Structure formats: structure tokens, C-alpha cells
Amino acid sequence: MTLPEATVQRLPIYLQCLEELSKDRVSSEELGAKAGLNPAQVRRDLHYLGSKGTRGVGYDATVLSQQLREALGLDQGWGVVIIGVGNLGTALANYGGFDERGFRVAGAFDADPDKVGRRVNGLTVEHVDGLAEAIVERDVHMAIITTPAGAAQGLVEMLAEAGVRSILSFAPAVVRVPPGVRYRRVDLSTELQVLSFYLSNGVG
Amino acid sequence: MTLPEATVQRLPIYLQCLEELSKDRVSSEELGAKAGLNPAQVRRDLHYLGSKGTRGVGYDATVLSQQLREALGLDQGWGVVIIGVGNLGTALANYGGFDERGFRVAGAFDADPDKVGRRVNGLTVEHVDGLAEAIVERDVHMAIITTPAGAAQGLVEMLAEAGVRSILSFAPAVVRVPPGVRYRRVDLSTELQVLSFYLSNGVG
DNA sequence: CCTTGTGAAGTGGTTCACAGCT
DNA sequence: AGCTGTGAACCACTTCACAAGG
């Protein structure tokens, strides 16, 4: 299945809106209104998915929901590790959304010996030295990095080496990413600066 | 100043790359390599900024850096409040990047009486009941929401009412945003699902 | 000679508008 | 009658390729 990048970014939104609407039929009109999107956009996206609506009626919410979950691979139970157990890492470890969305949290790691052994939401924090091994043994394919910026580059290389193909990083660092690895950076500071731009330049 | 949205998103990256390079002259080639962008892209972006490079030489890093900071409004000292002092809110409050980037943290708020009075990184947590008043009195223009999803919609309305024009939200909720307010949602679950899609559908 | 600034072409995504089903 | 599916127009952004200039 090959869909436009922009469409992929919207699939999780559709899934969430669908759950919040909790109806058994939805039109592109309704779904668009909820998600803040043009109905034509919704139809095109769902069409890419291979979804089949009924003209004059709309889409079957149960079927659609299942198609979204399947396209997103939420039934695959992908294994995830959290690296860096500071406040942010702890927040993520405590976040209930993993199981709910079908992800399997396979471990939490930190370089600080003081943090190793600590328990977080049913996990015992392990030392990063054991990370590469754990990734292979526990069949992990995704990693979330919440370490300081300096550690990010090395971790990304190590993770790629160990077979991780998707990385979500909260470390405020610009990183060179090995080919074949999907890297998504979320940076508070960047987001704030963009908001600051619009505040400073008066655009709604 | 009116620049393409996509360009605005890259300005913080340029600023960061510039700092990491710490040279006094940079070419679009170098900057592009560091940021993972096409040199032509860099030139066009900087040109929008009104930046003046020297042909055959490149850009003056000090001047460029200053132009970026100015365009982003980092010298405005915008006031920011953090709403929700759970693990995530605490992580953000402890994050050093605010001052460094010229933001002024004007308060931390929570609805939970047990959290009120607690001290976080030099701030005393206040009850949300005092939020609207604090926003006006302390000249706050930005807010970061790290509450549970259910609280988001009400907060956004209240914040807009009180005069906040830029909101960064980590609450996993789809929210209706009043006109004139810039709302940026960062959702862990959404990001993971997008990564999961590519993992499941085998695209590098 | 090297690197910027920029027309022009290329790419990807969005929206319109309506034909086609149910 | 109502809503989907979709060609075609539109729009925003990216990249090429090269003339202009230090």
C-alpha cells in the first residue's frame, strides 16, 4: 500500500475522530468537520485506503476503523523501547496510550546508574549497555529517545545497527540518520519558536 | 513579514544548525548539509528572510543568526504558562530551553489541589482557578497544555478569552480552536502510529 | 572562480464541481 | 435526494539550472 505522506499523517486523526463520534455510519462531511478538514480531502484519503463508502449514505464506521487500524499496523503489536528515563521518559512510560494503540513497551533504559533498577509503570529501568541485546532478543522495532541532545547521534546509530527502523526523538539535536530508518523529531523549542513567529508577525 | 509556512518551520532548525556549526561564515551548501536540506531551499528561505549573502562567499553567521532570532520574535520575551503539572508538565518546566530561547515562564498551573503549592524548577504550582487572572496580569501570550484530553477544549476557550494567541498542546484531543488563535498539537500516539504505518508498509 | 539570487519547471497536495450510485 | 468517487483546476512548495556579482 502506498499512500501520500500527507494522507498517512491524517490516518491517526481519522481513527481518533471516529472513536469520539461513536456512530456506526459517518459521512465525509461529519468526519471532516470533526477533524477540521475539507470533505473532499477526507473522501480522497479514505479512497486511497481502499475504503468503500456507500453513495447517499456514507462510510461504515466499524469497517473504516478496522481499515485504519490495519493500514497503520496497529494489530502488529510492534515492540517499543524508551531510552532516557528523566521526567519526559517517565511521562511517556506512564502514558496509557501504548497498549490502547497496540504497541508493546519492551523496556526502559537509562545511562544513569541511579536510575537503573527504578520501577516505572510496571517496568524496571535497565542500563543502556544492555540495549542492543534487548532489542534483538525482544524483537523491538521502534524506539523513543528522551535523552539529552548529546546522546542522540550515538543512540540512533546503535539502534539502526541493532535493527530498529523507526525512531521518535524528543532530543533537541540535529541528527544524521542511516538509510532505511524513519526518524521523527519532536522538539518543544522548535514548536514554541514557530508559535512565537506568528505571534510576533501577527498572523492568525 | 510574510513567509511561506514551510519556511517558518525551518527557521528554528537553521538557528540551531548555525549554533552547532559555530563558524562566522556559512554557505547554503554547508547549512543545507547540516540541516538535511537542498542548498537551493536554504537560499530561498534565507532570501525570504531578507538575508543578504555574498556571492562567492556565503552568509555572515552572526548577522544571519540575529536575523533568524528577530524574525522568530525571540527577543520579545513572550510570556508562557504551563498548564498541567504531571510528569510531562514537570519535564517541560524543568526544561532549560525556555530562557535560552528568550521565553519567560510566567507560571505553572494544575487543577489538582495536591499539586498546588508544589515547587518545580523555581516555580510554585498554582490552581487553575487563578489562570485567567494571571494571564492578564503577567502579560502572557502563550500556553502549553499538558493536561488529560478531557480538559483541553475548555482550556483552549478560556485561554483564547483571556487573550492567549498561541497554544502548544500535548493533550491527545481534537479541539475546536477559536479564530485568531494558533494551536499546535503534539501527540505521541499520533507520531507513533505514523511510524508504525511505515514500519508495516515497508518504506524507508 | 565560487556562491548567491531567481526565473522556470517540476512535484505533491488540496479543493472544486459534478457525474455516478444507491 | 444525498453522498461518494474522481477528473481537472488550483495552489504551495521544491528543485533545477544558470545568469549575476563579489
PDB file of all heavy atoms in Angstrom, chain B residues 89-117:
ATOM      1  N   GLY B  89       4.290  17.845  32.247  1.00  0.00           N
ATOM      2  CA  GLY B  89       4.376  19.256  32.603  1.00  0.00           C
ATOM      3  C   GLY B  89       5.631  19.534  33.412  1.00  0.00           C
ATOM      4  O   GLY B  89       6.312  20.547  33.207  1.00  0.00           O
ATOM      5  N   THR B  90       5.959  18.620  34.307  1.00  0.00           N
ATOM      6  CA  THR B  90       7.164  18.779  35.117  1.00  0.00           C
ATOM      7  C   THR B  90       8.406  18.731  34.241  1.00  0.00           C
ATOM      8  O   THR B  90       9.322  19.536  34.386  1.00  0.00           O
ATOM      9  CB  THR B  90       7.244  17.651  36.178  1.00  0.00           C
ATOM     10  OG1 THR B  90       6.049  17.679  36.942  1.00  0.00           O
ATOM     11  CG2 THR B  90       8.442  17.853  37.085  1.00  0.00           C
ATOM     12  N   ALA B  91       8.384  17.799  33.300  1.00  0.00           N
ATOM     13  CA  ALA B  91       9.516  17.693  32.374  1.00  0.00           C
ATOM     14  C   ALA B  91       9.710  19.008  31.641  1.00  0.00           C
ATOM     15  O   ALA B  91      10.833  19.510  31.526  1.00  0.00           O
ATOM     16  CB  ALA B  91       9.268  16.572  31.368  1.00  0.00           C
ATOM     17  N   LEU B  92       8.626  19.593  31.170  1.00  0.00           N
ATOM     18  CA  LEU B  92       8.729  20.838  30.428  1.00  0.00           C
ATOM     19  C   LEU B  92       9.191  21.978  31.325  1.00  0.00           C
ATOM     20  O   LEU B  92      10.012  22.803  30.918  1.00  0.00           O
ATOM     21  CB  LEU B  92       7.391  21.187  29.784  1.00  0.00           C
ATOM     22  CG  LEU B  92       6.869  20.171  28.778  1.00  0.00           C
ATOM     23  CD1 LEU B  92       5.620  20.689  28.098  1.00  0.00           C
ATOM     24  CD2 LEU B  92       7.924  19.830  27.740  1.00  0.00           C
ATOM     25  N   ALA B  93       8.652  22.015  32.544  1.00  0.00           N
ATOM     26  CA  ALA B  93       9.033  23.089  33.462  1.00  0.00           C
ATOM     27  C   ALA B  93      10.528  23.024  33.769  1.00  0.00           C
ATOM     28  O   ALA B  93      11.185  24.049  33.954  1.00  0.00           O
ATOM     29  CB  ALA B  93       8.229  22.993  34.752  1.00  0.00           C
ATOM     30  N   ASN B  94      11.060  21.824  33.803  1.00  0.00           N
ATOM     31  CA  ASN B  94      12.482  21.661  34.105  1.00  0.00           C
ATOM     32  C   ASN B  94      13.383  21.842  32.888  1.00  0.00           C
ATOM     33  O   ASN B  94      14.604  21.907  33.011  1.00  0.00           O
ATOM     34  CB  ASN B  94      12.738  20.264  34.683  1.00  0.00           C
ATOM     35  CG  ASN B  94      12.315  20.166  36.122  1.00  0.00           C
ATOM     36  OD1 ASN B  94      12.590  21.055  36.921  1.00  0.00           O
ATOM     37  ND2 ASN B  94      11.631  19.090  36.457  1.00  0.00           N
ATOM     38  N   TYR B  95      12.752  21.936  31.752  1.00  0.00           N
ATOM     39  CA  TYR B  95      13.498  22.065  30.502  1.00  0.00           C
ATOM     40  C   TYR B  95      14.173  23.425  30.424  1.00  0.00           C
ATOM     41  O   TYR B  95      13.552  24.461  30.618  1.00  0.00           O
ATOM     42  CB  TYR B  95      12.503  21.890  29.350  1.00  0.00           C
ATOM     43  CG  TYR B  95      13.026  22.187  27.976  1.00  0.00           C
ATOM     44  CD1 TYR B  95      14.017  21.404  27.418  1.00  0.00           C
ATOM     45  CD2 TYR B  95      12.494  23.238  27.240  1.00  0.00           C
ATOM     46  CE1 TYR B  95      14.470  21.666  26.144  1.00  0.00           C
ATOM     47  CE2 TYR B  95      12.949  23.504  25.956  1.00  0.00           C
ATOM     48  CZ  TYR B  95      13.934  22.716  25.416  1.00  0.00           C
ATOM     49  OH  TYR B  95      14.379  22.973  24.146  1.00  0.00           O
ATOM     50  N   GLY B  96      15.450  23.425  30.195  1.00  0.00           N
ATOM     51  CA  GLY B  96      16.203  24.673  30.223  1.00  0.00           C
ATOM     52  C   GLY B  96      16.045  25.553  28.999  1.00  0.00           C
ATOM     53  O   GLY B  96      16.445  26.704  28.994  1.00  0.00           O
ATOM     54  N   GLY B  97      15.439  25.005  27.944  1.00  0.00           N
ATOM     55  CA  GLY B  97      15.400  25.693  26.666  1.00  0.00           C
ATOM     56  C   GLY B  97      14.592  26.981  26.618  1.00  0.00           C
ATOM     57  O   GLY B  97      14.734  27.757  25.677  1.00  0.00           O
ATOM     58  N   PHE B  98      13.734  27.213  27.606  1.00  0.00           N
ATOM     59  CA  PHE B  98      12.888  28.409  27.569  1.00  0.00           C
ATOM     60  C   PHE B  98      13.690  29.700  27.623  1.00  0.00           C
ATOM     61  O   PHE B  98      13.622  30.524  26.715  1.00  0.00           O
ATOM     62  CB  PHE B  98      11.870  28.392  28.707  1.00  0.00           C
ATOM     63  CG  PHE B  98      10.809  27.350  28.578  1.00  0.00           C
ATOM     64  CD1 PHE B  98      10.789  26.251  29.414  1.00  0.00           C
ATOM     65  CD2 PHE B  98       9.827  27.461  27.609  1.00  0.00           C
ATOM     66  CE1 PHE B  98       9.811  25.284  29.295  1.00  0.00           C
ATOM     67  CE2 PHE B  98       8.839  26.500  27.478  1.00  0.00           C
ATOM     68  CZ  PHE B  98       8.837  25.405  28.326  1.00  0.00           C
ATOM     69  N   ASP B  99      14.443  29.844  28.697  1.00  0.00           N
ATOM     70  CA  ASP B  99      15.219  31.069  28.877  1.00  0.00           C
ATOM     71  C   ASP B  99      16.183  31.240  27.720  1.00  0.00           C
ATOM     72  O   ASP B  99      16.295  32.303  27.128  1.00  0.00           O
ATOM     73  CB  ASP B  99      16.044  31.002  30.168  1.00  0.00           C
ATOM     74  CG  ASP B  99      15.181  30.661  31.354  1.00  0.00           C
ATOM     75  OD1 ASP B  99      13.950  30.594  31.176  1.00  0.00           O
ATOM     76  OD2 ASP B  99      15.736  30.460  32.446  1.00  0.00           O
ATOM     77  N   GLU B 100      16.842  30.162  27.424  1.00  0.00           N
ATOM     78  CA  GLU B 100      17.839  30.152  26.365  1.00  0.00           C
ATOM     79  C   GLU B 100      17.286  30.689  25.055  1.00  0.00           C
ATOM     80  O   GLU B 100      17.993  31.319  24.273  1.00  0.00           O
ATOM     81  CB  GLU B 100      18.285  28.695  26.181  1.00  0.00           C
ATOM     82  CG  GLU B 100      19.544  28.497  25.418  1.00  0.00           C
ATOM     83  CD  GLU B 100      19.770  27.008  25.193  1.00  0.00           C
ATOM     84  OE1 GLU B 100      19.660  26.218  26.176  1.00  0.00           O
ATOM     85  OE2 GLU B 100      20.030  26.629  24.049  1.00  0.00           O
ATOM     86  N   ARG B 101      16.025  30.449  24.818  1.00  0.00           N
ATOM     87  CA  ARG B 101      15.392  30.880  23.575  1.00  0.00           C
ATOM     88  C   ARG B 101      14.559  32.141  23.770  1.00  0.00           C
ATOM     89  O   ARG B 101      13.801  32.540  22.894  1.00  0.00           O
ATOM     90  CB  ARG B 101      14.520  29.766  22.998  1.00  0.00           C
ATOM     91  CG  ARG B 101      15.311  28.690  22.279  1.00  0.00           C
ATOM     92  CD  ARG B 101      15.712  29.179  20.879  1.00  0.00           C
ATOM     93  NE  ARG B 101      16.518  28.186  20.172  1.00  0.00           N
ATOM     94  CZ  ARG B 101      17.842  28.258  20.070  1.00  0.00           C
ATOM     95  NH1 ARG B 101      18.506  29.234  20.668  1.00  0.00           N
ATOM     96  NH2 ARG B 101      18.495  27.346  19.393  1.00  0.00           N
ATOM     97  N   GLY B 102      14.697  32.733  24.953  1.00  0.00           N
ATOM     98  CA  GLY B 102      14.059  34.027  25.155  1.00  0.00           C
ATOM     99  C   GLY B 102      12.614  33.988  25.618  1.00  0.00           C
ATOM    100  O   GLY B 102      11.925  35.000  25.581  1.00  0.00           O
ATOM    101  N   PHE B 103      12.137  32.817  26.061  1.00  0.00           N
ATOM    102  CA  PHE B 103      10.773  32.780  26.582  1.00  0.00           C
ATOM    103  C   PHE B 103      10.788  32.975  28.102  1.00  0.00           C
ATOM    104  O   PHE B 103      11.748  32.614  28.770  1.00  0.00           O
ATOM    105  CB  PHE B 103      10.096  31.451  26.222  1.00  0.00           C
ATOM    106  CG  PHE B 103       9.954  31.246  24.740  1.00  0.00           C
ATOM    107  CD1 PHE B 103      10.804  30.371  24.056  1.00  0.00           C
ATOM    108  CD2 PHE B 103       9.004  31.942  24.011  1.00  0.00           C
ATOM    109  CE1 PHE B 103      10.693  30.189  22.684  1.00  0.00           C
ATOM    110  CE2 PHE B 103       8.887  31.769  22.639  1.00  0.00           C
ATOM    111  CZ  PHE B 103       9.729  30.891  21.974  1.00  0.00           C
ATOM    112  N   ARG B 104       9.730  33.560  28.617  1.00  0.00           N
ATOM    113  CA  ARG B 104       9.625  33.840  30.044  1.00  0.00           C
ATOM    114  C   ARG B 104       8.528  32.952  30.620  1.00  0.00           C
ATOM    115  O   ARG B 104       7.363  33.105  30.264  1.00  0.00           O
ATOM    116  CB  ARG B 104       9.268  35.329  30.222  1.00  0.00           C
ATOM    117  CG  ARG B 104       8.898  35.773  31.606  1.00  0.00           C
ATOM    118  CD  ARG B 104       8.666  37.291  31.668  1.00  0.00           C
ATOM    119  NE  ARG B 104       7.658  37.741  30.704  1.00  0.00           N
ATOM    120  CZ  ARG B 104       6.339  37.764  30.945  1.00  0.00           C
ATOM    121  NH1 ARG B 104       5.877  37.369  32.113  1.00  0.00           N
ATOM    122  NH2 ARG B 104       5.503  38.175  30.017  1.00  0.00           N
ATOM    123  N   VAL B 105       8.901  32.009  31.467  1.00  0.00           N
ATOM    124  CA  VAL B 105       7.899  31.124  32.067  1.00  0.00           C
ATOM    125  C   VAL B 105       7.201  31.869  33.190  1.00  0.00           C
ATOM    126  O   VAL B 105       7.808  32.200  34.204  1.00  0.00           O
ATOM    127  CB  VAL B 105       8.527  29.826  32.600  1.00  0.00           C
ATOM    128  CG1 VAL B 105       7.443  28.925  33.168  1.00  0.00           C
ATOM    129  CG2 VAL B 105       9.265  29.101  31.488  1.00  0.00           C
ATOM    130  N   ALA B 106       5.916  32.149  32.994  1.00  0.00           N
ATOM    131  CA  ALA B 106       5.198  33.044  33.892  1.00  0.00           C
ATOM    132  C   ALA B 106       4.323  32.311  34.897  1.00  0.00           C
ATOM    133  O   ALA B 106       3.640  32.937  35.708  1.00  0.00           O
ATOM    134  CB  ALA B 106       4.349  34.016  33.081  1.00  0.00           C
ATOM    135  N   GLY B 107       4.353  30.975  34.875  1.00  0.00           N
ATOM    136  CA  GLY B 107       3.551  30.255  35.845  1.00  0.00           C
ATOM    137  C   GLY B 107       3.293  28.820  35.443  1.00  0.00           C
ATOM    138  O   GLY B 107       3.398  28.460  34.270  1.00  0.00           O
ATOM    139  N   ALA B 108       2.983  27.993  36.462  1.00  0.00           N
ATOM    140  CA  ALA B 108       2.616  26.596  36.230  1.00  0.00           C
ATOM    141  C   ALA B 108       1.329  26.344  36.996  1.00  0.00           C
ATOM    142  O   ALA B 108       1.210  26.719  38.160  1.00  0.00           O
ATOM    143  CB  ALA B 108       3.720  25.667  36.712  1.00  0.00           C
ATOM    144  N   PHE B 109       0.355  25.726  36.344  1.00  0.00           N
ATOM    145  CA  PHE B 109      -0.982  25.581  36.928  1.00  0.00           C
ATOM    146  C   PHE B 109      -1.457  24.131  36.867  1.00  0.00           C
ATOM    147  O   PHE B 109      -1.085  23.387  35.974  1.00  0.00           O
ATOM    148  CB  PHE B 109      -1.969  26.475  36.170  1.00  0.00           C
ATOM    149  CG  PHE B 109      -1.663  27.944  36.307  1.00  0.00           C
ATOM    150  CD1 PHE B 109      -0.659  28.529  35.531  1.00  0.00           C
ATOM    151  CD2 PHE B 109      -2.336  28.731  37.232  1.00  0.00           C
ATOM    152  CE1 PHE B 109      -0.360  29.884  35.670  1.00  0.00           C
ATOM    153  CE2 PHE B 109      -2.043  30.079  37.375  1.00  0.00           C
ATOM    154  CZ  PHE B 109      -1.046  30.661  36.595  1.00  0.00           C
ATOM    155  N   ASP B 110      -2.299  23.785  37.850  1.00  0.00           N
ATOM    156  CA  ASP B 110      -2.880  22.444  37.843  1.00  0.00           C
ATOM    157  C   ASP B 110      -4.240  22.492  38.551  1.00  0.00           C
ATOM    158  O   ASP B 110      -4.477  23.365  39.392  1.00  0.00           O
ATOM    159  CB  ASP B 110      -1.954  21.439  38.537  1.00  0.00           C
ATOM    160  CG  ASP B 110      -2.176  20.024  38.050  1.00  0.00           C
ATOM    161  OD1 ASP B 110      -3.288  19.477  38.296  1.00  0.00           O
ATOM    162  OD2 ASP B 110      -1.269  19.452  37.406  1.00  0.00           O
ATOM    163  N   ALA B 111      -5.095  21.541  38.207  1.00  0.00           N
ATOM    164  CA  ALA B 111      -6.420  21.508  38.822  1.00  0.00           C
ATOM    165  C   ALA B 111      -6.408  20.684  40.112  1.00  0.00           C
ATOM    166  O   ALA B 111      -7.325  20.767  40.924  1.00  0.00           O
ATOM    167  CB  ALA B 111      -7.430  20.925  37.845  1.00  0.00           C
ATOM    168  N   ASP B 112      -5.368  19.905  40.305  1.00  0.00           N
ATOM    169  CA  ASP B 112      -5.281  19.004  41.446  1.00  0.00           C
ATOM    170  C   ASP B 112      -4.739  19.744  42.679  1.00  0.00           C
ATOM    171  O   ASP B 112      -3.598  20.195  42.684  1.00  0.00           O
ATOM    172  CB  ASP B 112      -4.340  17.846  41.062  1.00  0.00           C
ATOM    173  CG  ASP B 112      -4.150  16.862  42.193  1.00  0.00           C
ATOM    174  OD1 ASP B 112      -4.654  17.107  43.310  1.00  0.00           O
ATOM    175  OD2 ASP B 112      -3.484  15.835  41.957  1.00  0.00           O
ATOM    176  N   PRO B 113      -5.564  19.840  43.744  1.00  0.00           N
ATOM    177  CA  PRO B 113      -5.145  20.574  44.950  1.00  0.00           C
ATOM    178  C   PRO B 113      -3.847  20.013  45.540  1.00  0.00           C
ATOM    179  O   PRO B 113      -3.066  20.759  46.133  1.00  0.00           O
ATOM    180  CB  PRO B 113      -6.301  20.358  45.929  1.00  0.00           C
ATOM    181  CG  PRO B 113      -7.464  19.952  45.094  1.00  0.00           C
ATOM    182  CD  PRO B 113      -6.914  19.268  43.886  1.00  0.00           C
ATOM    183  N   ASP B 114      -3.623  18.714  45.366  1.00  0.00           N
ATOM    184  CA  ASP B 114      -2.397  18.101  45.898  1.00  0.00           C
ATOM    185  C   ASP B 114      -1.151  18.652  45.207  1.00  0.00           C
ATOM    186  O   ASP B 114      -0.061  18.649  45.774  1.00  0.00           O
ATOM    187  CB  ASP B 114      -2.412  16.577  45.687  1.00  0.00           C
ATOM    188  CG  ASP B 114      -3.426  15.911  46.607  1.00  0.00           C
ATOM    189  OD1 ASP B 114      -4.020  16.632  47.445  1.00  0.00           O
ATOM    190  OD2 ASP B 114      -3.608  14.690  46.468  1.00  0.00           O
ATOM    191  N   LYS B 115      -1.306  19.083  43.981  1.00  0.00           N
ATOM    192  CA  LYS B 115      -0.137  19.562  43.241  1.00  0.00           C
ATOM    193  C   LYS B 115       0.104  21.042  43.491  1.00  0.00           C
ATOM    194  O   LYS B 115       1.231  21.531  43.365  1.00  0.00           O
ATOM    195  CB  LYS B 115      -0.346  19.325  41.745  1.00  0.00           C
ATOM    196  CG  LYS B 115      -0.432  17.837  41.401  1.00  0.00           C
ATOM    197  CD  LYS B 115       0.207  17.527  40.065  1.00  0.00           C
ATOM    198  CE  LYS B 115       0.151  16.047  39.755  1.00  0.00           C
ATOM    199  NZ  LYS B 115      -0.955  15.732  38.826  1.00  0.00           N
ATOM    200  N   VAL B 116      -0.962  21.763  43.816  1.00  0.00           N
ATOM    201  CA  VAL B 116      -0.838  23.193  44.063  1.00  0.00           C
ATOM    202  C   VAL B 116       0.096  23.445  45.244  1.00  0.00           C
ATOM    203  O   VAL B 116       0.000  22.766  46.269  1.00  0.00           O
ATOM    204  CB  VAL B 116      -2.225  23.818  44.350  1.00  0.00           C
ATOM    205  CG1 VAL B 116      -2.084  25.277  44.796  1.00  0.00           C
ATOM    206  CG2 VAL B 116      -3.104  23.723  43.114  1.00  0.00           C
ATOM    207  N   GLY B 117       1.014  24.367  45.097  1.00  0.00           N
ATOM    208  CA  GLY B 117       1.954  24.687  46.168  1.00  0.00           C
ATOM    209  C   GLY B 117       3.291  23.981  45.997  1.00  0.00           C
ATOM    210  O   GLY B 117       4.319  24.410  46.503  1.00  0.00           O
TER     211      GLY B 117
END
